């Protein structure tokens, strides 16, 4: 009876994403290292501990993905600039191999991050750029994964990502609008 209860608890608590997060800062010197360790931990917890759907996932069913943020500038206190590489893999059916289903480099990954402050979540309100960026990519990860199971299976997640984009456009942060950013054809607007 105890084993059944433990198995049910593990199953009920399993979230959708198994996201590995890495923060690289090759050009940033003289900044307290703990800020980046905490940032990495906060982003990983935000992605992995949140329920993005109402579906139940077993721990081994969680979607394997990675986010690599390369910080290139710190123009103001708590304001970070860089790039972000998002990659999603899934197992090939009846195989031990994995294949990449989504691989994207965001060249306009700019956000404000206050060290040791929890990243707040809201899907229907723009709070700040870091939460909107993470929401957007979590929903894209889910959308691409669900698309591998059925035709347009990921559409509900792409629509939610579009809603995140529409809320973020008013923030005037780079990379959300069609005509802004350093790489205009690869903005989040064109991606969605």
């Amino acid at each position: 009876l105890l084993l059944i209860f433990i198995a049910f608890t593990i199953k009920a608590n399993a979230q959708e994403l198994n996201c590995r997060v890495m923060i690289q800062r090759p050009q940033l010197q003289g900044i307290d290292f703990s800020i980046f360790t905490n940032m990495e931990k906060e982003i990983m917890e935000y992605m992995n501990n949140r329920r993005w759907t109402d579906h139940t996932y077993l721990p081994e069913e969680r979607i394997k993905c990675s986010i690599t943020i390369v910080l290139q500038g710190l123009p103001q206190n708590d304001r970070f600039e860089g790039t972000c590489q998002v990659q999603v893999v899934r197992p090939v059916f009846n195989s031990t191999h994995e294949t990449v289903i989504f691989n994207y480099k965001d060249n306009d990954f700019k956000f404000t991050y206050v060290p040791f402050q929890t990243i707040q979540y809201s899907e229907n309100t723009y709070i700040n750029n870091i939460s909107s960026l993470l929401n957007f990519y979590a929903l894209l990860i889910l959308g691409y994964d669900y698309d591998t199971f059925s035709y347009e299976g990921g559409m509900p997640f792409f629509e939610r990502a579009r809603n995140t984009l529409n809320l973020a456009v008013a923030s005037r942060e780079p990379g959300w609008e069609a005509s802004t950013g350093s790489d205009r054809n690869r903005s989040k607007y064109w991606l969605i």
Side-chain angles (χ1 to χ4, degrees):
L1 186 62
L2 181 61
L3 289 175
I4 292 171
F5 177 74
I6 291 170
F8 179 73
T9 304
I10 291 171
K11 182 178 178 180
N13 290 332
Q15 307 305 327
E16 299 88 349
L17 302 181
N18 180 11
C19 187
R20 187 175 52 91
V21 177
M22 188 175 357
I23 306 285
Q24 298 175 355
R25 58 198 192 306
Q27 298 175 0
L28 299 181
Q29 304 298 324
I31 299 172
D32 184 12
F33 178 74
S34 66
I35 292 171
F36 303 110
T37 303
N38 189 67
M39 182 188 300
E40 195 171 85
K41 178 180 171 261
E42 284 287 323
I43 292 172
M44 192 173 329
E45 287 176 0
Y46 187 89
M47 298 298 283
N48 291 331
N49 296 341
R50 181 156 323 286
R51 288 208 48 108
W52 299 99
T53 73
D54 58 356
H55 302 142
T56 302
Y57 280 69
L58 294 171
E60 63 272 11
E61 294 174 328
R62 294 174 71 176
I63 301 165
K64 287 178 69 174
C65 54
S66 65
I67 296 177
T68 304
I69 300 170
V70 180
L71 298 173
Q72 300 165 331
L74 183 63
Q76 303 167 357
N77 278 348
D78 303 330
R79 178 74 180 169
F80 295 88
E81 295 182 351
T83 63
C84 178
Q85 184 81 32
V86 180
Q87 188 174 73
V88 183
V89 298
R90 66 159 296 163
V92 175
F93 184 66
N94 277 342
S95 168
T96 58
H97 300 290
E98 293 180 335
T99 188
V100 175
I101 59 171
F102 179 66
N103 189 18
Y104 180 75
K105 183 180 179 190
D106 184 344
N107 291 321
D108 282 316
F109 203 80
K110 300 173 183 169
F111 59 93
T112 300
Y113 174 77
V114 179
F116 308 103
Q117 184 177 38
T118 303
I119 301 170
Q120 298 295 313
Y121 170 79
S122 176
E123 191 168 327
N124 297 314
T125 306
Y126 177 86
I127 295 176
N128 55 38
N129 214 40
I130 187 69
S131 63
S132 291
L133 288 164
L134 296 176
N135 291 353
F136 182 78
Y137 286 117
L139 294 167
L140 283 183
I141 289 166
L142 288 162
Y144 279 104
D145 187 69
Y146 275 70
D147 262 0
T148 66
F149 289 99
S150 66
Y151 178 70
E152 294 187 355
M155 196 55 90
F157 302 106
F158 295 135
E159 290 300 324
R160 288 170 58 193
R162 183 187 315 276
N163 182 54
T164 299
L165 178 126
N166 290 336
L167 292 169
V169 165
S171 71
R172 302 243 183 253
E173 288 281 355
W176 292 104
E177 293 182 356
S179 60
T180 63
S182 59
D183 193 355
R184 292 185 179 151
N185 293 333
R186 292 188 50 85
S187 73
K188 287 168 271 303
Y189 173 88
W190 292 112
L191 178 60
I192 198 60

